[in-house]
Amino acid sequence: MMDEIFIQNEEQRAILDSVRRFVEEEVTPRAAELDAQLDPEDSFSWEIVEAADAFGLRTMSLSEEYGGMDTDMLTTAMVIEELARGDLGISVVFAQTLKIGKHMERVLNAEQRARTLIPFRDDPRAILSICGTEPENGSNGIVGYPAPYTTRAVKTEGGWIANGMKHFISNSNRSRFFLVHMQTDPDKSMLDGATVFLLERGHPGFTVGRVHDKMGERLANNSELLFTDCFIPDENVVGEANEGHIIRRTFGPSSNIFAACSILGVAVALFEKSLDWAQTRIQGGKRLIEHDGIRAQIAEMKMLIDASRSYTHRAAHLADHPEEGWDPSLGSLPKVMASQAAWQIATWTLEIHGGHGYMKEAGVEKLVRDAGAFLHSDGVNRALLLRAANFIDA
């Protein structure tokens, strides 16, 4: 359970108790077996998604009209971390869905919300994707390099004809609804010539390609999305044509803050394994934790987790209350800090466990694979540092 110093009210405590129970009952018993599946598609579990819906997790960030609790960003961030203590992939499935759902509620018009969020509310298997990354465009969009998307939509009567491919897109072979960034002004870059389109699974000309076989975070699927002479009607344009950068800007803070929380959950799981092993393993005639080097290392793990969580929670609060001092670098740096801390804790956990940690049955190996995910996911750390530096040196 999250340390009491980070829980601000009884509502948060009750929500986290419910999430912890969900993880213990639905995620932990399945996670290792799902992670071990050779086919990445077999690592995904609709049973967990449906159980999350029954617990009220799938829609909790939305307003009551759409089946949610209208949780603020800080409370949602806490939930995402708690999910990741059970499994990183499950945390990512719902981090994506919770933040994209909230984003849709803000940026879709009334007609789009009616045909998207009401069916989303009523479908216990509905999850969501946002689609920007392409084979030739990853960090370009993070650092603001003026390159165009290679996925393009050309204006035609009543709509647009789209062609191209996205890849590495979270949930995309499973999602029901998608927000897709495409180049619509060929003379400009993704920074000022792209448009966001709303699509539903099964739309003609819009198909799923290869499902990526990832090292870790395996309970969440990522895949390619293919657009082949895909006609998209004008009513599926989100906001205004060629103003996708405005839509993207409103999404950025929650994306990286929630990514920080996902990887923090992995760090906590690693810390708990290290602490348990150090308190029970006898070497040199005493428990590992009675050796000063190990004892100090355990304390340093907690320091890194608490400091990263404090930074992330402050960012989450300010994202909802920017008038209190929001700094744009908070949309980048907490994820960098949390993922670096998690990777350091992962290597220490391996060392503390000795040879036992290298054996799969100990469960450390899976967590180490998961810990590497967010050194790049939701933005390569070096690119996020450069983006933050651009704000600092503006």
Side-chain angles (χ1 to χ4, degrees):
M1 183 65 182
M2 188 173 294
D3 291 347
E4 282 292 318
I5 60 171
F6 293 101
I7 300 174
Q8 298 183 349
N9 55 57
E10 288 304 315
E11 181 182 28
Q12 288 175 346
R13 183 173 289 103
I15 290 172
L16 291 174
D17 284 344
S18 177
V19 175
R20 186 177 72 254
R21 187 170 66 255
F22 165 77
V23 169
E24 290 172 351
E25 293 176 1
E26 304 293 344
V27 179
T28 303
R30 295 182 170 105
E33 182 179 353
L34 289 168
D35 173 80
Q37 298 302 307
L38 294 179
D39 185 336
E41 293 194 69
D42 292 337
S43 294
F44 184 87
S45 171
W46 281 122
E47 290 78 10
I48 292 177
V49 173
E50 290 171 343
D53 179 72
F55 265 82
L57 294 176
R58 191 182 59 84
T59 57
M60 66 182 301
S61 63
L62 294 171
S63 63
E64 291 184 14
E65 178 183 0
Y66 303 115
M69 302 168 60
D70 202 18
T71 51
D72 61 16
M73 192 172 291
L74 177 56
T75 304
T76 309
M78 293 178 176
V79 167
I80 289 166
E81 180 187 328
E82 197 69 34
L83 289 171
R85 291 178 69 184
D87 180 78
L88 176 62
I90 295 301
S91 176
V92 168
V93 168
F94 292 107
Q96 291 291 318
T97 298
L98 290 168
K99 68 189 179 186
I100 295 167
K102 191 70 170 180
H103 184 52
M104 285 179 166
E105 191 170 358
R106 289 172 177 154
V107 302
L108 299 185
N109 63 37
E111 185 273 332
Q112 291 170 338
R113 289 196 299 271
R115 61 182 164 95
T116 301
L117 293 181
I118 291 175
F120 171 77
R121 176 195 66 192
D122 296 339
D123 180 357
R125 287 189 169 193
I127 55 177
L128 304 171
S129 291
I130 194 163
C131 316
T133 305
E134 303 170 336
E136 301 302 321
N137 279 304
S139 294
N140 281 344
I142 300 294
V143 298
Y145 183 78
Y149 287 115
T150 57
T151 305
R152 300 194 171 196
V154 178
K155 190 72 180 76
T156 188
E157 185 178 354
W160 306 75
I161 302 292
N163 285 279
M165 182 178 80
K166 302 293 184 180
H167 78 163
F168 298 169
I169 306 301
S170 297
N171 292 344
S172 55
N173 61 319
R174 307 288 183 173
S175 290
R176 179 162 176 184
F177 295 102
F178 305 77
L179 292 176
V180 187
H181 292 253
M182 298 186 190
Q183 197 69 30
T184 46
D185 187 337
D187 297 322
K188 295 184 178 180
S189 75
M190 66 176 70
L191 305 179
D192 56 2
T195 300
V196 178
F197 295 94
L198 172 66
L199 288 174
E200 186 171 2
R201 173 169 299 284
H203 190 91
F206 173 44
T207 56
V208 174
R210 175 171 56 112
V211 177
H212 301 292
D213 193 5
K214 299 180 296 181
M215 181 174 82
E217 192 199 300
R218 291 184 65 82
L219 274 65
N221 284 168
N222 297 62
S223 78
E224 299 169 339
L225 294 173
L226 310 177
F227 303 86
T228 308
D229 293 332
C230 175
F231 175 76
I232 306 174
D234 283 329
E235 55 263 31
N236 283 29
V237 171
V238 179
E240 299 295 331
N242 300 321
E243 293 188 357
H245 57 287
I246 296 173
I247 304 297
R248 180 172 182 153
R249 194 179 302 136
T250 65
F251 181 67
S254 65
S255 183
N256 283 104
I257 290 167
F258 288 176
C261 295
S262 287
I263 199 61
L264 266 177
V266 177
V268 171
L270 285 158
F271 168 74
E272 290 173 345
K273 275 196 174 293
S274 293
L275 180 60
D276 181 67
W277 184 254
Q279 289 177 328
T280 55
R281 174 70 168 167
I282 306 295
Q283 287 292 284
K286 56 186 177 182
R287 298 179 305 151
L288 290 181
I289 202 166
E290 295 175 47
H291 294 269
D292 285 353
I294 301 296
R295 193 174 184 85
Q297 204 165 57
I298 294 292
E300 192 167 355
M301 288 184 186
K302 178 172 172 51
M303 177 190 73
L304 290 172
I305 290 168
D306 285 357
S308 297
R309 186 185 289 131
S310 296
Y311 194 17
T312 303
H313 282 194
R314 183 61 177 163
H317 174 78
L318 289 174
D320 274 341
H321 305 279
E323 72 282 358
E324 295 181 19
W326 170 258
D327 180 329
S329 69
L330 292 172
S332 302
L333 297 181
K335 196 280 283 193
V336 176
M337 182 177 181
S339 60
Q340 289 179 346
W343 189 242
Q344 179 64 80
I345 291 167
T347 60
W348 286 343
T349 301
L350 270 176
E351 293 169 1
I352 287 172
H353 281 76
H356 294 276
Y358 205 64
M359 306 303 161
K360 287 189 174 183
E361 60 264 23
V364 175
E365 172 261 356
K366 174 187 181 297
L367 290 171
V368 172
R369 287 188 286 108
D370 286 347
F374 277 87
L375 298 173
H376 67 271
S377 190
D378 252 82
V380 174
N381 279 355
R382 187 63 55 185
L384 289 172
L385 288 168
L386 291 172
R387 182 169 74 177
N390 290 340
F391 290 124
I392 293 167
D393 190 37

